[in-house]
Amino acid sequence: MSNLSSSVKKAISIPYRIKRSPTDLLKALSNTVKLDPNTPHYSLIDDSLLTSINPNDVRRSYLSKASGIKAAKFMIEKYPEAFMKDDCVPHVKSFFPKYEFSEEELKYPTENLIYSLMSWGKLSLAYDSYLKCKDQNIEVSEECKHVLLDLLSINNSNDSKEKVPIMEEWYLKGQTRDMESKPRYIPANTWVKGGKAEQMFNELKSKSAASYCSLIKGMTKYNDAENATTLYNEMKHYNLTPDLNTINSMIKIISLSPPEVTNDKKIEIMLQRLNEIKNYGMLPNLKTFNTCFELIKSFNLFQRSVPLTLDLFKEMQNLKIEPSLSTYSHIVSIFYPNRDIGVRTGVLGQVINEIEKMAQSENGLVWKDVDDPLFFKIAMEKLSLGTPENLPLAKKLNGILFKENNIKFLNDSYLINKYFEFYLTTLIKFDLPENVIDEWRFLTPYIYGRSIIILDRMIDFVSKNKCFDFVPELWSNCLEFKSKRLSDFWSDTIESLLNIMGQYEEDNQELISKYSSIAEIMIKNYPYAPLRIETDSEDDLQPLEYNWNSKMLSNLFIVLLRGNKLEAAWNEFENYMKNQNKIAGELSEKSILNLCEALIGANRIDNAFEVLKLAVSLQLPILKGLISKLRESNLSSEQHTLLKQLKNKLSL
Amino acid sequence: MSKENDAKKKKNPKEENRKLNQIKKFSFIQLTPEQNSKVIETKKNNQDLESTALKLARLIIDDKEAAIVKLARQILNNEIDHSKTTQTTIKPQIINEKLKNTSNEQIKTSDVQIKPIPDTTKLTFSAQPSSPSSPKKNKSKPKTIKKNSPSQEKSSKIKNLDAKNPDEQSDKIVKNNLVKEQESAAIKLAKLIDKEEPEKTADKLLKPIQQGSKIKNLKKKLKNNVESLESDKNENKNEKKLLDLEDLDSGKLEQKQEVSPVTRVDMYSKEHNLNSGKGLDLFKELGNLSIDKTKESPIWSMHYDEELKQAQEIPPMNESSDEDTDEEPDSDNGNKENVEHNVTASRIDESDADVPFHEHIFLDHHLEEFPQIEPIQLFMTLALNGLSQNGHLTLNEKKEIINWYKSYFDEKLDIIKEALDTEARIQETYIQSSK
């Protein structure tokens, strides 16, 4: 009772109302959306026959949808008057046609016109209007000029870019990333020399530090190292203090120095820039350090890199700057410059532990840098090159990726494909078959569209480990590629699949019948001697001939006969007898024996004699056994005499 | 002759420097930064010694062996010319003795500085062939150098012992004495060679003495004694160590490391702790300073924010998950395992191919077969709608599902009617009570 009464006395405090933005609910909802490994992405779902599964189809499907969106936008721009009815509350700008400035409006330039042109992204027109103002002695404020300079620098003297549909962006970003990840990639200088940005800069009456910074950042953004450095020195000459991001971007372009500049010189320049930050009385930020690490990364194999990186990292800790994922990704790249080197440094394990700590913290992994998404791909790549000891690390890393929605850090098609390719490669290299198959089933095809490379590796793995149960599934995965072209036919793949099916000796009837139907489909879809259908039209393409060898054919017979598909096997045998010249090597003893026995069993003595003839011509040691078996069956008198002759020959 | 030689020496100062650098690089391999810092400390105390040693070193590194040999020959020839054959045999001995002295003294002085160097490095030094004209060869095979002949190892051990007794003051005195002794000996010698201009000859003589190793060639030719060779080596070693000190001064530490293959392998093949860095000590005292002094234009800041925001944009994902589904991720796998895998490239049952599409889509007529009770009709409308949109089922499968519903509702019809009756009654009583 006393407890109750005391609790009653407690004052009830009503919490303050938390202000929510109108989209907070949507954000909360979006956090509940995850990746579903069991169904295709909703935008791909169609009639079950048409749902895209293989990566090429998926890409085509997404991109065609994106191009549909673009076509719709085109129509909106072409017939703007038809799309002016505004039912949206609030108004959604991107649903409506762009505002077109009439010639009348452009005739009388004012500062306001320049501002509105800029807000519609029409920077060239804005600059032209500014020039008109100047001609007509209409005053334009310095502030307006600065804004125009900023925008022109950001957009490299062009109009601001339109956003592409999100799915196209996904593949576009992937393509760019793919290009940038090539080992000898050097970003091209795309800065428009003497363009509107530079002209605008010259128009300014007094050139402030901010205006210098704006132009320098524009130049560095488009990789014009030379001009940026000149301008930067000019700025220093006039005792103007640059902002931090300008110095950061100056560090970024050190890697673009001409080839005669040595790495030592580059480091010297980098330290000089850091000293400048200090001398200007500023403190570096995360971006500063990340650009430094990125620069060191570009040296590739260079021993000063290692101590310098450690020192920089310590400096970061001293300044209490929390590293981002990209910091760690650069560090991993620095310590593991190429294949064989860096494994002994043991840095990868430490980095993954740090990331695990970050992921388990209250906020989880947070976006801090544009390059953050590189981390998972690079770490997994280095793990896949290492030793079996990396397996638990790879699993840990993958665990972090699937925690919460961290998979969002793989933000383009290239990264997601490469990451899972490396992950599965690591598993295939080091893990047990059951684990590999489990992960394979979980990830493919809806999270990761299996590529031909990884499929090949998987088939290799399955045939090495004799995972008989898994073969039908793997074959159905192969079929999803719908490959008909010659270049897509992997005779190695079919050979290894036939090989493993031929080795199966247990008695699971279901599996045996599946195997035989797979074999049937193989020879039907990829014939070495296709039937030519004579047609009148000349347009018909000749059917393709695929490469088969005798080993593949032998296994084919064995598999077909185990599945009691005698008719199919016999047809194929006849086909083989006609096209022996297309097959290198001879059929195996086992396959001929099996075929002959099956024919005798089905009482098709004539056919069995055909097979016997082949066996005679090959002079196989199993002949005697075959002859004695044939004798036991019902034979015509001719066949009897034939057999006798054969036996005499053999005894001779 | 002598003039020509001098001219030759002067002609190639650049080449000399290059060679010097090469040797500097080479000799620096084995010093770690910590060792270097210690070396620097001791070095400051021995600046005088250094300068003389450096002079010697430069001369040693001078690669114009041929010139030196010529010079040496010249010395000999002059002696022969003067037909003082008895002295020619003595002379190399004198030189050697002097060299021995100098080298021994210098070992003392320089070993003070080299103290922190581990034994292995000493071995490499001691093992260095006495001809510094082949530094490249040495550089490429630094490890093989460790396999020393026993005699060489011995000499290095002796050095180690010496290194334990540093005495700076006495060193200075010794050094001065040494130089004086060298000079006086050279003058004596010069008087023998050239009576007219003994000073010039003495200078000439002093250079080769200081060049130590170069004289080796001469000595080899003379094949006089083994002792001289050893003293040569020692002197050579000392000079190289002193060279390292100069490297440190000029701050070329890392450059030297970069060239060495030994250190390169070391950097990437030993374990590193991520937190083992020392920091740059750049921003130590700036605790209270602002992060950005010049204000960045808001448009650029917006641009950077936008860039980061755009990087985060990915296409929407497809599973709406609440906590219930989170608990059974394993069963997801299991589901996939049981999926019927299509091995024949035909994706659906061929038997369905002849069924016209309208039989798949329009299933409304089945509604009539269900009891005319509102909730059932409402539910079945939706159920049939779902079936008609499902592309994964054959017509027969759809009919099976419909029949299952039919039998289910038939079974439960009594219960449903009863429930509906009670519901209606409750509603009635509610309306009455509200009235």
Side-chain angles (χ1 to χ4, degrees), chain B residues 351-352 355 360 393-401 403:
Chain B
S351 65
D352 223 31
V355 180
H360 267 287
L393 298 172
T394 62
L395 187 61
N396 284 336
E397 282 168 330
K398 287 180 183 178
K399 280 184 178 164
E400 261 172 41
I401 292 168
N403 286 333

Side-chain angles (χ1 to χ4, degrees), chain A residues 67-68 115 127 153 200 299 314 330 358 371 517 608 640:
Chain A
S67 91
Y115 271 121
Y127 181 69
S153 306
M200 194 64 225
F299 301 157
K314 189 72 185 178
H330 296 322
M358 272 164 83
D371 286 334
S517 44
H640 260 298

Side-chain angles (χ1 to χ4, degrees), chain A residues 215-258:
Chain A
L215 197 60
I216 291 171
K217 279 185 279 190
M219 284 169 172
T220 52
K221 186 172 154 66
Y222 297 97
N223 309 317
D224 188 349
E226 205 184 322
N227 283 329
T229 316
T230 320
L231 206 64
Y232 184 74
N233 290 334
E234 191 181 314
M235 186 179 180
K236 278 201 291 188
H237 177 74
Y238 290 125
N239 279 333
L240 295 170
T241 311
D243 61 42
L244 188 59
N245 274 330
T246 306
I247 303 180
N248 291 348
S249 56
M250 286 307 294
I251 296 174
K252 183 194 138 197
I253 55 156
I254 297 173
S255 63
L256 301 175
S257 318

